[in-house]
Amino acid sequence: MKAGSGMRESVSMLKELVKINSVNPFDGRGSGEAEISEFIRGRLRSYGAQARLQKVKGSRTNVIGIVKGSGGGKSLMLNGHMDTVGVTAETKNPFGATVDDKGQLHGRGACDMKGSIASMMGAIKTIADSGSELKGDLIFTGVIDEEYLSAGTNVVIKEYTSDAAIVGEPTSLGIAIAHKGYAWVGVDVHGRASHGSVPEKGIDAIAKASKLIGRLSELQKSYKSVSHPLLGNPKMHMSTIIGGTEWAVVPETCSLHLERRTLPAEPKNVAVKEVKKVVAELSAEDPEFNASVTSFFEQPGLDVSRKEPVVRALSSAYRSVMRHQPAIVGVPYWTDAALLVSEKGIPTCLFGPGDIRLAHSADEYVPIREVEKATLVFERTIQGFCGVKAR
Ligand SMILES: [Zn+2]
């Protein structure tokens, strides 16, 4: 494999992108995506692509790049999130972009997912430099806030659509067509406060919550009967528990937060309905059991057919670069791809360099070789999917 201009551009972009701090600012501490989105806009313009910033909230902007097709082809969206998770004292040289002797580039976001954005950019440059014209439009969307509430992709889909999309999350160059959704559910267990010397006059909300936790553990066992070929079973875990006020008082309330990971085919609100059912059963058995259930947030899963033209185009590009069949996989994490499918009906799959197990870690890195290969795969996928005008 010869390093063409696209691959050189990817590696240079990757270094620049990692050096720019783009930690998600949800907690008021991250730097945000303003600098990185302006930087990417500048590079897209230098390739001759149309590029603009799309306002999301405050100074936070998506960056949109478009290579206009000549007509008669299908449009493809490449989506990558520019924000990263935060850094701590343990994070090794997070913005150093150092390369080790194994050819791995280290830094916050190297794997999740600046490596993939760099590959997409390299592919766009190659196509722009080649002088050949695409038939369908190519739309690059660098988005904010994927690591928190996906505000960026939610704004992209208000203005843009396409015939298909690829989200560049790290898949170790596998083609991911499925992932779970998730739901956050809260339960407030209500008791009655009393002095610790007369606990029989109160209702201990923490003790009642422990009954609920027991039943939810049984519910989790029932998930073994439902499964998806690439994703396995649904999952649930307790996230937080808060209850009680002081030593000598029977607690009046106990609040639980839990997370349910859902299979793509499970109906909306499945998690909150399940928990409400358990609460109703406990209330029927015990007149002193009283709890209210709230649905806080929910995102759908992803399940795209391997026969979708975008999956076929990506598979064929992969085979031509790698000389073997791609792995078609499900991934354990949630991504913006689910929004593109559920909100806009855009068939979307995931592909990118880097191992997801390194994402968010204290020593995050991406193999440069994978970034280069991904560049070629993106390039050929774009050409295959959008079509190239004969000259
Ligand atoms: Zn990511």
Side-chain angles (χ1 to χ4, degrees):
M1 190 173 68
K2 227 167 75 240
S5 67
M7 282 192 269
R8 282 196 301 275
E9 176 67 7
S10 302
V11 178
S12 136
M13 271 301 286
L14 175 60
K15 287 181 185 158
E16 299 297 329
L17 292 173
V18 171
K19 282 178 193 165
I20 300 172
N21 177 339
S22 61
V23 170
N24 190 301
F26 79 98
D27 60 358
R29 289 186 296 183
S31 293
E33 306 90 344
E35 186 184 349
I36 198 166
S37 57
E38 277 184 36
F39 173 78
I40 293 173
R41 178 180 61 176
R43 287 296 260 262
L44 285 165
R45 285 184 176 165
S46 77
Y47 309 156
Q50 296 173 18
R52 65 172 277 243
L53 300 180
Q54 182 191 35
K55 190 170 167 169
V56 181
K57 48 183 170 186
S59 63
R60 300 179 70 190
T61 51
N62 293 328
V63 56
I64 313 290
I66 296 180
V67 179
K68 249 342 231 170
S70 59
K74 293 192 295 268
S75 58
L76 179 65
M77 182 187 292
L78 300 180
N79 172 291
H81 66 83
M82 304 178 290
D83 60 317
T84 70
V85 294
V87 298
T88 64
E90 279 75 49
T91 317
K92 277 170 76 181
N93 196 6
F95 310 111
T98 48
V99 179
D100 67 20
D101 54 11
K102 292 190 191 118
Q104 301 169 144
L105 189 138
H106 296 248
R108 176 54 79 229
C111 166
D112 185 14
M113 53 170 278
K114 293 178 174 180
S116 201
I117 291 180
S119 299
M120 292 170 176
M121 297 288 285
I124 297 169
K125 179 174 164 56
T126 307
I127 283 166
D129 287 353
S130 71
S132 58
E133 217 176 335
L134 295 176
K135 290 183 185 168
D137 293 348
L138 172 63
I139 306 161
F140 169 83
T141 60
V143 297
I144 70 159
D145 196 44
E146 193 275 346
E147 298 288 4
Y148 188 48
L149 293 177
S150 294
T153 292
N154 271 316
V155 169
V156 162
I157 57 182
K158 288 196 179 126
E159 212 177 321
Y160 296 94
T161 190
S162 59
D163 293 312
I166 302 170
V167 173
E169 292 288 352
T171 60
S172 300
L173 304 185
I175 298 174
I177 57 171
H179 65 63
K180 286 176 184 154
Y182 66 92
W184 292 342
V185 178
V187 190
D188 291 324
V189 181
H190 312 290
R192 186 168 62 232
S194 71
H195 193 269
S197 60
V198 280
E200 65 279 6
K201 292 203 165 157
I203 297 171
D204 183 336
I206 294 178
K208 297 294 179 194
S210 75
K211 279 182 141 183
L212 173 65
I213 294 170
R215 285 297 169 87
L216 292 175
S217 306
E218 284 169 33
L219 178 66
Q220 288 168 45
K221 286 180 200 149
S222 75
Y223 295 157
K224 293 211 171 79
S225 62
V226 204
S227 112
H228 179 285
L230 295 177
L231 303 174
N233 315 114
K235 301 253 163 97
M236 180 197 281
H237 78 274
M238 302 301 137
S239 306
T240 62
I241 181 164
I242 299 168
T245 51
E246 51 186 298
W247 288 101
V249 174
V250 171
E252 191 172 15
T253 57
C254 180
S255 299
L256 284 175
H257 284 174
L258 59 93
E259 184 184 66
R260 165 81 148 76
R261 296 281 171 153
T262 56
L263 295 184
E266 288 188 295
K268 200 165 182 245
N269 292 325
V270 63
V272 72
K273 279 185 187 154
E274 271 175 2
V275 178
K276 278 186 174 166
K277 185 161 172 264
V278 170
V279 163
E281 284 164 9
L282 282 168
S283 303
E285 290 163 23
D286 173 2
E288 290 192 334
F289 186 91
N290 177 14
S292 43
V293 182
T294 313
S295 171
F296 277 87
F297 193 62
E298 183 165 14
Q299 293 283 27
L302 174 78
D303 198 359
V304 170
S305 165
R306 54 185 80 211
K307 291 188 181 135
E308 275 297 337
V310 66
V311 178
R312 287 176 188 260
L314 190 50
S315 301
S316 149
Y318 180 95
R319 278 193 302 273
S320 81
V321 173
M322 308 292 283
R323 310 258 167 229
H324 61 253
Q325 291 290 343
I328 305 283
V329 297
V331 288
Y333 49 92
W334 187 86
T335 77
D336 278 357
L339 294 178
L340 296 171
V341 176
S342 67
E343 301 292 315
K344 293 290 273 201
I346 302 172
T348 305
C349 58
L350 313 170
F351 175 80
D355 183 339
I356 191 64
R357 287 171 298 186
L358 297 168
H360 307 191
S361 69
D363 182 15
E364 186 177 341
Y365 64 84
V366 67
I368 288 177
R369 197 79 184 135
E370 280 190 26
V371 173
E372 290 175 335
K373 285 176 178 162
T375 306
L376 279 181
V377 173
F378 277 125
E379 188 186 310
R380 292 181 193 181
T381 304
I382 296 164
Q383 289 163 336
F385 189 82
C386 299
V388 177
K389 202 176 155 193
R391 281 191 289 175

